[in-house]
Amino acid sequence: MNKLQRGVFWNLFSRKDVELNYLLRRSFSISSHPVRDLASKDGELRVFIVAGEVSGDIIGSRFMDSLRKLSPFPVRFAGVGGYLMSKQGLNSLFPMEDISVMGIWELLPHLNNFRVKLKQTVQAALSFQPHVVLTVDSKGFSFRFLKYLRAKCIEQGIISPKHFHYVSPSFWAWKGGEARIKGLSQFIDHVLCILPFEAEICKLNGIAATFVGHPTLEDMIELKEKGASGEIQGNGEEFRSEHGIASGSTVISLLPGSRVQEVTRMLPIFSNTMELLKDAFGELVTVVHIAPNQYVKDYISKAVCKWPVPVVMVSGGSPSMKYKSFSASRVALCTSGTVAVELQLARLPCVVAYRAHLLTEWVIRYKAKVPYISLPNILLKSATIPEALFQGCTPSKLASLVRELVHNENLREQQIAAAAKVIELLSPGKGLINNSTHLETSHAFPNSMSSMVAALTVLQS
């Protein structure tokens, strides 16, 4: 979906594209000096970082923390981010939510605001004079920003900083997608990939790339899970006790998404699904997970006032509480996204749902070349996790899938067994950090820390 969003950006700014493409085709100068040499000369490492959504804020904050721990120089950040990045010292140019829009037609009402924010971000980056520019996911805004920034550097005759993009575009999911990756080399110097097969495809298409592992696996480190199985076991009994949930109750975790547009679309469907299920179990309790986005929080807080069954709300800003609630749950119903990997870590069987604007759905049907939407199914190349998509995403369909997953032990065991394989595939190669001979550090880091591999890649560029 974000791949399509990026395409819309490029087309809707077409009047400027002619000038940009002309500038980018000209010979231009990208700094050939190692990042560490530039930082050594200036006595600090300056990084301009941009994230546009909740998952990007998590990735960005962990990258900032890891880079500070690895860098032999003081690190100074500027850019755009959310609450977690602000805790790492970033003073965001504007609220991250201003550029957090997903979909094609959903984007149209926000175009003027995006133009304003884009110009503001480019100007701020030029003024900051960074050694490194890092964008995190949010391809629609990120790619446009990187393209404009590089063009401005060419126009002004200044050396461009190195551009990194964290989370590769899902070119592999779309018809003709791989052919478009070649164009990224005009304004991206290195892609930090979170899926195991992406780096090689990037390299074959002329762009440097490194597989750094999936960022969600860092939840294990944050929660100090030391087991070798790649599993997070929260205290489900403690969660039930804290919220007065009877031991015989059936608990279902609901994860409607992190963006306002998807939450307002998915939460009513989830509510109607629970209405259909409330008599199917002796006592049904739902746990609604709220992303750390104020607009999302406000919407959900009002919506659950009319909820058909007892509800507990869990803030997405608390990983400990999130995984405790997962352990207390029998199954999860989630909107397609990063949360599917979190549920794999928790070994919680789930159903994946997704709806968008009708025209967006039509384009996805036409352009997609993979049969699944959830990452675990894509990696396993099988429909291990049941998916209800587009017009098939109805309360009656979801209720049927959830009911079966609650009662069918074979289906549950299949998902739980497959989760271990998914986590193994998403882990970065062993020794990527410990085998480094180019950087002196007193820290020892687990192999599952994507942010450390990413930070090391940037420092060694």
Side-chain angles (χ1 to χ4, degrees):
M1 283 68 73
N2 285 337
K3 175 85 170 176
L4 296 174
Q5 178 184 342
R6 184 194 71 188
V8 169
F9 264 95
W10 286 4
N11 292 332
L12 291 173
F13 285 90
S14 57
R15 188 169 61 180
K16 287 287 186 181
D17 276 352
V18 175
E19 300 171 35
L20 287 173
N21 289 332
Y22 169 74
L23 285 170
L24 290 171
R25 281 196 299 268
R26 289 169 47 188
S27 60
F28 54 87
S29 178
I30 303 170
S31 178
S32 59
H33 298 287
V35 168
R36 286 169 292 134
D37 289 354
L38 296 172
S40 177
K41 179 181 177 182
D42 291 347
E44 65 174 4
L45 174 59
R46 294 188 298 274
V47 179
F48 195 90
I49 185 169
V50 176
E53 53 193 70
V54 171
S55 59
D57 185 41
I58 296 171
I59 295 170
S61 67
R62 287 172 170 171
F63 173 85
M64 292 169 71
D65 183 55
S66 294
L67 187 63
R68 280 203 181 95
K69 289 176 178 175
L70 281 172
S71 175
F73 314 102
V75 185
R76 188 154 58 98
F77 294 98
V80 180
Y83 171 72
L84 294 176
M85 290 168 68
S86 71
K87 288 178 67 175
Q88 291 293 330
L90 180 71
N91 184 15
S92 185
L93 292 172
F94 46 79
M96 180 185 69
E97 291 78 11
D98 288 356
I99 56 173
S100 180
V101 179
M102 182 184 74
I104 299 174
W105 307 103
E106 296 89 337
L107 170 66
L108 293 177
H110 305 275
L111 279 178
N112 186 61
N113 179 61
F114 269 69
R115 289 189 180 98
V116 172
K117 299 305 180 186
L118 180 62
K119 182 178 180 181
Q120 181 181 353
T121 308
V122 170
Q123 290 300 323
L126 290 170
S127 299
F128 188 63
Q129 297 182 327
H131 304 115
V132 170
V133 175
L134 176 75
T135 52
V136 185
D137 208 355
S138 299
K139 274 77 71 175
F141 186 87
S142 294
F143 287 3
R144 198 69 197 178
F145 161 67
L146 294 173
K147 192 174 185 181
Y148 266 71
L149 179 60
R150 180 138 292 170
K152 279 291 183 182
C153 289
I154 297 167
E155 189 179 63
Q156 297 179 14
I158 59 179
I159 295 176
S160 172
K162 292 184 179 179
H163 290 183
F164 292 81
H165 184 71
Y166 203 150
V167 184
S168 170
S170 53
F171 47 82
W172 42 267
W174 306 96
K175 296 173 184 175
E178 290 184 25
R180 297 192 66 180
I181 193 101
K182 294 180 181 178
L184 301 183
S185 61
Q186 293 181 328
F187 52 89
I188 296 178
D189 304 310
H190 202 116
V191 180
L192 304 172
C193 303
I194 66 171
L195 300 183
F197 51 82
E198 293 175 326
E200 187 61 30
I201 299 175
C202 285
K203 293 173 184 176
L204 290 174
N205 285 277
I207 185 167
T210 301
F211 171 51
V212 299
H214 200 285
T216 302
L217 271 56
E218 291 194 44
D219 288 356
M220 292 187 292
I221 310 302
E222 188 169 333
L223 296 174
K224 297 181 173 59
E225 294 285 339
K226 303 187 190 307
S229 62
E231 179 179 356
I232 297 179
Q233 297 179 339
N235 192 328
E237 289 303 317
E238 183 177 296
F239 181 86
R240 284 174 175 265
S241 176
E242 289 173 349
H243 295 91
I245 301 172
S247 59
S249 300
T250 298
V251 180
I252 299 178
S253 275
L254 302 177
L255 302 105
S258 61
R259 306 175 185 88
V260 173
Q261 290 87 355
E262 62 186 0
V263 172
T264 55
R265 193 179 301 275
M266 298 304 299
L267 194 64
I269 297 174
F270 287 2
S271 175
N272 291 332
T273 301
M274 295 305 106
E275 178 71 40
L276 295 175
L277 288 172
K278 66 180 182 181
D279 296 325
F281 309 104
E283 185 176 346
L284 176 61
V285 177
T286 55
V287 177
V288 179
H289 294 256
I290 305 174
N293 176 320
Q294 189 61 46
Y295 303 131
V296 168
K297 181 179 180 180
D298 292 344
Y299 176 81
I300 292 179
S301 298
K302 292 178 182 177
V304 297
C305 292
K306 300 178 181 179
W307 207 249
V309 297
V311 60
V312 175
M313 292 190 292
V314 171
S315 170
S318 172
S320 175
M321 183 65 72
K322 175 171 59 182
Y323 283 97
K324 283 199 296 184
S325 71
F326 286 164
S327 293
S329 300
R330 179 70 174 171
V331 298
L333 173 58
C334 67
T335 299
S336 178
T338 303
V339 68
V341 179
E342 296 175 349
L343 295 171
Q344 301 298 289
L345 282 172
R347 301 300 195 270
L348 178 60
C350 66
V351 173
V352 171
Y354 185 76
R355 286 235 57 173
H357 190 284
L358 287 174
L359 291 174
T360 300
E361 291 180 0
W362 181 85
V363 173
I364 293 171
R365 287 179 182 275
Y366 174 73
K367 292 287 289 182
K369 68 177 185 180
V370 293
Y372 312 113
I373 196 168
S374 64
L375 181 56
N377 285 349
I378 291 171
L379 290 172
L380 296 171
K381 298 180 181 179
S382 69
T384 303
I385 296 175
E387 299 180 349
L389 312 177
F390 312 140
Q391 279 122 340
C393 181
T394 63
S396 59
K397 176 67 172 177
L398 292 174
S400 175
L401 292 173
V402 169
R403 189 184 298 110
E404 185 176 18
L405 194 56
V406 168
H407 293 302
N408 192 320
E409 287 298 330
N410 287 334
L411 290 178
R412 295 174 55 78
E413 288 302 321
Q414 285 176 19
Q415 282 204 36
I416 292 170
K421 179 63 175 177
V422 171
I423 299 306
E424 179 184 351
L425 289 171
L426 293 175
S427 300
K430 293 182 178 180
L432 279 175
I433 294 175
N434 297 332
N435 290 344
S436 172
T437 58
H438 303 289
L439 193 68
E440 293 184 4
T441 174
S442 60
H443 297 275
F445 303 112
N447 289 317
S448 57
M449 292 194 72
S450 171
S451 65
M452 284 291 176
V453 182
L456 186 65
T457 302
V458 169
L459 283 170
Q460 292 184 340
S461 65

